């Protein structure tokens, strides 16, 4: 573990963002641009989510990012065949010249986010240029790597943040005053617009500004780890030296940070509660979900707290036994890491109290939507563990120390919609 720390001022190299010829849907060949988009591959949480998206349009991007053939090799082959067919049919076409892309999201509440999509030079965490903050699950990285090898494409951008408020932000603002390449509203109420930046002077301004910046991975740790693996497999220089990202300047557009919840398959709520008796304080809440979440937020101000659900009510766990924490949490990490709810959940509850392997899909699922997590637990007889979100400054501070948080600790958003612009490595 590297705890020497990183800073924007001392990073040897900054962000190197390269224009590319984006692959985009031909609007005349699809039902609508909204109907071919999807959330990122790991945020499709509805029980019928993939089928719902596939039914929205025969060319929905979910057919590439989550192919549904029987075996892993059949799935990657199916995705590659589908991509090649769509290219041959002109469903997806490459823009005529390389560029960077300004991307805007706006929701019904007035929230506005803008950033730049481009091909970013892939760098190791030790370089201090792109900072991860979460651990990854090797099987997921292997799955994403197989998909990218087969398709030879970056099918959806990662979400990275930096704090600049410089000339790149000025180009973004100026570009957003022009007519967009596409303008659509998806069923979740988000309004999406996309512009290309091809002017050499504007490209130079963006690249020069970013060359002094350091980014935090907000969403897409597994895909970034995949980029690293694939770059290592191909002698440089090669197209695998870069990966598709969306860079958002949070000095202009702060992101929302939300929790990612856990669904424990095969662990009924009564069994979960019996196991923590005497180790945590447990309070039973006969309240609606929103009031239970408020109680969780209040309890989190004083220490570690979790909300269990799945039996028709809510159970607030807080005030863990200090001796239990001392026995179960590694002592060789910073205090901020040791006190994270995700650390206590994984090191104490999952490992030592409930004996649940965190990397087994048969035992645990990671779900972004709170109500969906509760509903799945009630339907399947499992236990939903609802989490309180971590503050962004805590995430960034740990990342700068080179300390990674437990996997699926945070959910930054809004996340970019998949299907608006893709990167084919050989175009």
């Amino acid at each position: 573990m590297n705890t020497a720390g990183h800073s924007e001022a001392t990073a040897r190299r900054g962000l190197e963002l390269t224009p590319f010829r984006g692959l985009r849907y031909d609007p005349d060949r699809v039902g609508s641009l909204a109907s071919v988009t999807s959330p990122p591959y790991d945020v499709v949480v509805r029980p019928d989510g993939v089928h719902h998206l596939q039914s929205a349009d025969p060319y929905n991007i979910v057919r590439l990012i989550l192919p549904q053939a029987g075996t892993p090799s059949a799935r990657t082959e199916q995705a590659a065949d589908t991509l090649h067919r769509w290219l041959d049919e002109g469903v997806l076409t490459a823009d005529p010249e390389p560029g960077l892309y300004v991307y805007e999201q706006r929701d019904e509440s007035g929230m506005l986010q803008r950033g730049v999509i481009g091909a970013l030079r892939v760098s190791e965490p030790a370089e201090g240029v792109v900072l991860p903050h979460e651990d990854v699950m090797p099987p997921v990285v292997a799955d994403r790597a197989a998909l990218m090898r087969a398709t030879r494409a970056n099918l959806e951008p990662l979400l990275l943040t930096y704090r600049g408020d410089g000339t790149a932000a000025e180009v973004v603002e100026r570009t957003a005053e022009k007519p967009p390449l596409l303008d659509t509203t998806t069923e979740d109420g988000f309004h999406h617009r996309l512009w290309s930046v091809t002017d050499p002077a504007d490209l130079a301004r963006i690249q020069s500004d970013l060359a002094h910046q350091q980014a935090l991975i907000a969403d897409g740790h597994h895909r970034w780890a995949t980029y690293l693996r694939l770059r290592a497999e191909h002698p440089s220089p090669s197209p695998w030296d870069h990966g598709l990202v969306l860079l958002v300047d949070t000095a202009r557009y702060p992101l929302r940070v939300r929790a990612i919840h856990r669904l424990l398959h095969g662990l009924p709520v009564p069994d979960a509660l019996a196991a923590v008796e005497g180790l945590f304080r447990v309070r039973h809440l006969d309240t609606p979900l929103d009031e239970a979440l408020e109680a969780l937020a209040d309890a989190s101000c004083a220490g570690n707290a979790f909300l269990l659900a799945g039996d028709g009510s809510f159970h607030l766990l807080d005030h863990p036994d200090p001796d239990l924490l001392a026995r179960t949490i590694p002592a060789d990490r910073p205090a901020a890491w040791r006190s994270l709810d995700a650390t206590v959940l994984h090191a104490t509850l999952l490992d030592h109290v409930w004996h649940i392997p965190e990397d087994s899909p048969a035992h645990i699922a990671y779900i972004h939507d709170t109500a969906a997590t509760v509903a799945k637990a009630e339907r399947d007889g499992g236990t939903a563990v609802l989490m309180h979100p971590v503050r962004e400054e805590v995430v960034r501070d740990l990342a700068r120390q080179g300390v990674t948080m437990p996997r699926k600790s945070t959910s930054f958003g809004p996340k970019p919609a998949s299907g608006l612009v893709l990167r084919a490595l050989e175009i």
Side-chain angles (χ1 to χ4, degrees):
M1 180 180 63
N2 176 18
T3 58
H6 303 300
S7 71
E8 288 93 344
T10 60
R12 291 188 297 274
R13 299 174 69 176
L15 301 169
E16 299 178 23
L17 197 65
T18 300
F20 69 104
R21 291 180 62 198
L23 279 186
R24 296 190 295 111
Y25 282 98
D26 181 342
D28 294 331
R29 298 296 306 275
V30 298
S32 71
L33 291 176
S35 68
V36 295
T37 66
S38 165
Y41 79 98
D42 58 345
V43 191
V44 181
V45 297
R46 293 171 46 147
D48 63 342
V50 173
H51 176 71
H52 171 76
L53 291 166
Q54 288 180 334
S55 301
D57 192 285
Y59 299 114
N60 189 283
I61 191 68
V62 77
R63 296 178 185 274
L64 300 182
I65 63 175
L66 286 174
Q68 296 297 296
T71 66
S73 60
R75 288 194 292 272
T76 57
E77 182 179 350
Q78 180 186 80
D81 290 345
T82 300
L83 177 59
H84 294 150
R85 185 174 70 255
W86 290 358
L87 289 169
D88 291 342
E89 294 174 355
V91 174
L92 287 169
T93 60
D95 283 332
E97 58 182 319
L100 300 175
Y101 295 83
V102 170
Y103 175 48
E104 176 188 281
Q105 292 169 276
R106 189 189 302 266
D107 71 5
E108 295 167 329
S109 70
M111 186 284 310
L112 175 66
Q113 177 177 288
R114 290 178 181 147
V116 180
I117 296 175
L120 184 69
R121 182 183 71 88
V122 178
S123 59
E124 298 286 347
E127 295 183 52
V129 177
V130 175
L131 304 179
H133 70 268
E134 289 184 357
D135 294 331
V136 298
M137 293 175 273
V140 178
V141 175
D143 176 75
R144 291 295 103 183
L147 183 64
M148 289 190 203
R149 284 192 205 99
T151 58
R152 297 192 61 80
N154 301 150
L155 301 173
E156 46 185 350
L158 286 64
L159 175 60
L160 307 185
T161 73
Y162 72 101
R163 296 187 64 81
D165 203 15
T167 54
E170 294 170 3
V171 174
V172 167
E173 300 302 309
R174 218 171 352 96
T175 302
E177 296 174 357
K178 302 175 182 177
L181 292 174
L182 65 84
D183 186 329
T184 190
T185 300
T186 46
E187 67 177 5
D188 58 5
F190 274 92
H191 187 195
H192 308 265
R193 297 199 295 171
L194 189 77
W195 298 260
S196 64
V197 179
T198 57
D199 177 74
D202 281 342
L203 292 174
R205 291 185 184 97
I206 293 173
Q207 292 172 317
S208 176
D209 187 11
L210 293 178
H212 305 287
Q213 304 296 338
Q214 176 190 58
L216 174 74
I217 301 176
D219 184 71
H221 283 80
H222 289 91
R223 283 166 286 167
W224 185 258
T226 300
Y227 289 169
L228 287 167
R229 174 180 293 193
L230 294 173
R231 186 191 65 169
E233 294 175 1
H234 298 83
S236 185
S238 85
W240 300 101
D241 291 342
H242 295 78
L244 188 64
V245 305
L246 165 64
L247 279 164
V248 174
D249 183 350
T250 53
R252 293 272 181 116
Y253 302 104
L255 269 66
R256 297 170 177 169
V257 186
R258 293 175 174 161
I260 301 177
H261 309 298
R262 276 65 170 163
L263 174 62
L264 309 182
H265 305 298
L267 180 66
V269 173
D271 294 351
L273 293 173
V276 300
E277 186 175 355
L279 302 176
F280 283 73
R281 183 175 71 172
V282 179
R283 286 178 281 167
H284 303 278
L285 308 176
D286 290 319
T287 61
L289 175 58
D290 56 349
E291 293 182 20
L293 291 173
E294 289 177 6
L296 173 62
D298 291 341
S300 295
C301 294
N304 301 116
F306 310 93
L307 196 63
L308 305 191
D311 62 347
S313 60
F314 299 99
H315 311 272
L316 182 63
L317 274 59
D318 63 357
H319 292 195
D321 176 19
D323 291 337
L324 172 68
L325 300 184
R327 293 195 311 270
T328 57
I329 296 179
D332 61 345
R333 301 290 184 95
W337 182 90
R338 300 181 78 244
S339 64
L340 290 169
D341 286 341
T343 298
V344 174
L345 173 63
H346 285 257
T348 302
L349 284 169
L350 293 181
D351 287 355
H352 292 273
V353 177
W354 293 327
H355 306 292
I356 292 175
E358 63 180 355
D359 58 355
S360 170
H363 293 87
I364 186 169
Y366 298 84
I367 305 177
H368 295 74
D369 184 88
T370 308
T373 311
V374 175
K376 283 174 179 281
E378 292 180 346
R379 184 177 61 251
D380 301 340
T383 295
V385 183
L386 306 183
M387 310 280 288
H388 187 66
V390 184
R391 299 192 315 276
E392 182 178 357
E393 56 266 30
V394 173
V395 177
R396 194 176 293 274
D397 181 61
L398 285 171
R400 284 175 173 159
Q401 296 179 60
V403 179
T404 54
M405 300 167 64
R407 62 195 60 172
K408 300 294 183 181
S409 293
T410 61
S411 176
F412 284 84
K415 306 177 192 305
S418 299
L420 298 180
V421 60
L422 292 67
R423 173 179 176 248
L425 272 67
E426 294 167 345
I427 292 180

